[in-house]
Amino acid sequence: MASRPRAQRSPDRFADYRPETQRRIAAARPAIRLAWIAGSLFAERGFGATSIRDIAAAAGVAPSSVYSHYPSKDALLVAYLNESHEAAASLLRTQMLENATRPPADQVAALVAFATQRFLTNPGSSVLSRAELRRASPESTAIARRMRADSAEFLAGVIRRGHASRELHAPEPPDRLAITLLSTARQAAPWLQRWPLAPVDVIADALGEFSRRIVVSSTRVDAAPLPRLSGRPGTSTRERILRAATDHFANSGYTSGSLRDIANSVGIRPPSIYEHYASKDHVLAAVVELVVGWRVDAADRATSRSGDHDVVDVVVDLLRDLVGISVVAPEPSIAVDAEFDHLPASLATPLANRHRWMVETLAGLVREGRAAGRFHYAEPTPVVVFGVLAIAMQAAWLVLEDPRLDPAGLVADSVSYALRVLVTD
């Protein structure tokens, strides 16, 4: 995790989109093109930080022209999501047809690689379907859920056919497995911004290959008790501020509100926050420090055990802790992974260095397992660790998107998927 500015669009804000999507936008009516422009701005700046005036300026029209097509910013988001959904469905159908004669494992790899590349090159596909939609209207959220469900159904259908032909051996239900694979692909977008270790096509192909290993393998780990997280916010005013800020950043985003909103949630006057935190940046830094501390503690425990235990067992326990943190504390985990880039370098750098140590600890254990012949992979270790962590961290989103999920079962599933990336049957 490193502090990086949010990605900025080139003068042609659709230059990174796939050619089919570019042609669709170029042929669109002015109102629909406005929706695409709005979607790209929401992804780049955040829904709350983008105004109708910003959208009009990017489109080269007056704000009144925007209002002649859409009554509100939310209506623009709804229109963008509908257009994006139709474009994605068309592209997925094309991918399905192009790969229809290939074995199911190859189809899974191709579809996940395609989805990953789309998320990485079009941030709106990732950001707006997750963090930004948590602060939009119920209608927008419903469209986003339909988008995710439709995309997952394409992939789940392939997995079902692979199960029926006994070419795929993953024991998890196809629907749940498909959702997790696509959720991991979405998680790759913010992680690659902070950890630019390889070109987009390399990461996309790697996540496709990792998905292949996940669906062809039946390797499983048992469920285990969820981790106990020390230092969770208590009842003091400072801790209540931290807890309210965590919920605010996870659900509304860093840019969408103010310390006044956080103070109102706590039931104190806004100036009282300054008795505990110097600024909103410092509140976010406290949230990040909490989660980074939990992750570093997990790496510390793994390091202390690494000389006396089997390396596979040590990696499994570390991954159980990392996934467990995401599952037990999804709001702070999401606040960190979605909002970290807003921290100034003076606050971000020491936290990023601590988080990097956790990543390097996992990478060292993975290399050790590979040298001992326990792990088998052809990709560079940093790329493999990137994929494993994307699997681990995406669990926080799954918990919030479907509260019915069994937390211990979700941890066991996620660790099993990560282990299949490292170990083949």
Side-chain angles (χ1 to χ4, degrees):
M1 181 187 293
S3 180
R4 289 164 54 85
R6 292 191 182 275
Q8 298 295 312
R9 286 280 179 207
S10 62
D12 177 2
R13 62 181 49 253
F14 307 117
D16 293 334
Y17 288 25
R18 294 180 67 87
E20 304 95 318
T21 304
Q22 291 186 37
R23 289 193 291 270
R24 184 187 188 99
I25 296 170
R29 294 180 290 108
I32 299 303
R33 185 174 175 81
L34 269 177
W36 281 100
I37 290 171
S40 71
L41 284 173
F42 295 152
E44 179 183 313
R45 304 179 183 182
F47 181 75
T50 303
S51 67
I52 292 290
R53 187 176 296 277
D54 295 330
I55 296 165
V61 299
S64 58
S65 297
V66 178
Y67 283 114
S68 69
H69 296 288
Y70 298 100
S72 66
K73 189 170 66 172
D74 194 76
L76 273 161
L77 177 57
V78 169
Y80 166 74
L81 289 171
N82 278 318
E83 278 297 306
S84 180
H85 177 241
E86 290 181 16
S90 175
L91 292 171
L92 279 171
R93 281 192 291 269
T94 300
Q95 285 290 310
M96 291 283 290
L97 290 172
E98 290 178 356
N99 292 282
T101 60
R102 302 174 68 185
D106 289 350
Q107 292 185 49
V108 168
L111 287 174
V112 172
F114 167 79
T116 303
Q117 183 134 21
R118 181 169 179 267
F119 293 140
L120 292 176
T121 56
N122 177 6
S125 303
S126 175
V127 176
L128 287 179
S129 63
R130 296 197 131 175
E132 290 303 322
L133 278 170
R134 292 176 62 76
R135 63 207 65 156
S137 70
E139 183 181 3
S140 301
T141 303
I143 295 170
R145 289 186 183 278
R146 190 181 82 232
M147 291 169 67
R148 287 196 295 270
D150 289 351
S151 298
E153 182 54 35
F154 280 108
L155 189 56
V158 175
I159 297 172
R160 287 192 201 96
R161 290 191 290 275
H163 280 177
S165 64
R166 299 186 179 181
E167 296 174 78
L168 303 183
H169 306 288
E172 297 81 15
D175 291 346
R176 195 168 73 210
L177 184 53
I179 288 171
T180 300
L181 293 178
L182 291 176
S183 182
T184 300
R186 290 189 186 94
Q187 184 70 27
W191 271 73
L192 191 62
Q193 286 185 349
R194 301 184 185 111
W195 192 10
L197 54 87
V200 165
D201 57 343
V202 172
I203 293 295
D205 289 345
L207 287 187
E209 173 56 29
F210 299 159
S211 298
R212 179 206 306 276
R213 295 178 203 168
I214 289 170
V215 296
V216 301
S217 173
S218 58
T219 299
R220 289 286 303 172
V221 302
D222 295 330
L226 297 171
R228 292 182 176 273
L229 303 180
S230 62
R232 299 191 74 174
T235 58
S236 71
T237 300
R238 180 181 178 87
E239 292 171 321
R240 287 165 55 216
I241 292 170
L242 184 60
R243 189 167 60 247
T246 298
D247 293 342
H248 178 82
F249 295 149
N251 290 287
S252 299
Y254 181 83
T255 61
S256 295
S258 64
L259 288 179
R260 181 179 299 277
D261 299 320
I262 297 170
N264 289 339
S265 298
V266 178
I268 61 176
R269 297 176 64 250
S272 300
I273 291 184
Y274 294 105
E275 299 173 10
H276 304 278
Y277 297 99
S279 67
K280 190 166 73 163
D281 287 345
H282 286 81
V283 180
L284 177 58
V287 176
V288 174
E289 184 174 16
L290 188 65
V291 176
V292 168
W294 292 333
R295 293 174 180 174
V296 168
D297 286 347
D300 271 331
R301 287 191 293 273
T303 300
S304 67
R305 299 179 66 241
S306 61
D308 303 320
H309 295 76
D310 178 81
V311 66
V312 176
D313 292 339
V314 175
V315 169
V316 166
D317 286 345
L318 174 53
L319 291 175
R320 278 191 176 120
D321 278 346
L322 293 177
V323 179
I325 291 165
S326 291
V327 169
V328 172
E331 288 90 352
S333 297
I334 287 171
V336 169
D337 290 332
E339 306 298 335
F340 181 85
D341 288 344
H342 291 291
L343 285 179
S346 60
L347 296 175
T349 299
L351 294 169
N353 288 340
R354 292 186 69 205
H355 199 272
R356 190 177 299 112
W357 180 84
M358 179 276 292
V359 174
E360 290 171 352
T361 297
L362 175 58
L365 291 168
V366 169
R367 289 190 186 96
E368 180 184 338
R370 187 186 194 189
R374 305 299 306 282
F375 297 150
H376 309 280
Y377 56 87
E379 301 82 5
T381 297
V383 173
V384 172
V385 172
F386 177 95
V388 166
L389 286 173
I391 293 169
M393 303 311 177
Q394 59 81 37
W397 290 103
L398 296 184
V399 169
L400 292 186
E401 290 169 357
D402 188 355
R404 300 167 298 176
L405 290 172
D406 169 51
L410 177 57
V411 172
D413 285 348
S414 298
V415 176
S416 297
Y417 303 149
L419 196 60
R420 289 177 210 169
V421 171
L422 302 170
V423 182
T424 55
D425 288 345

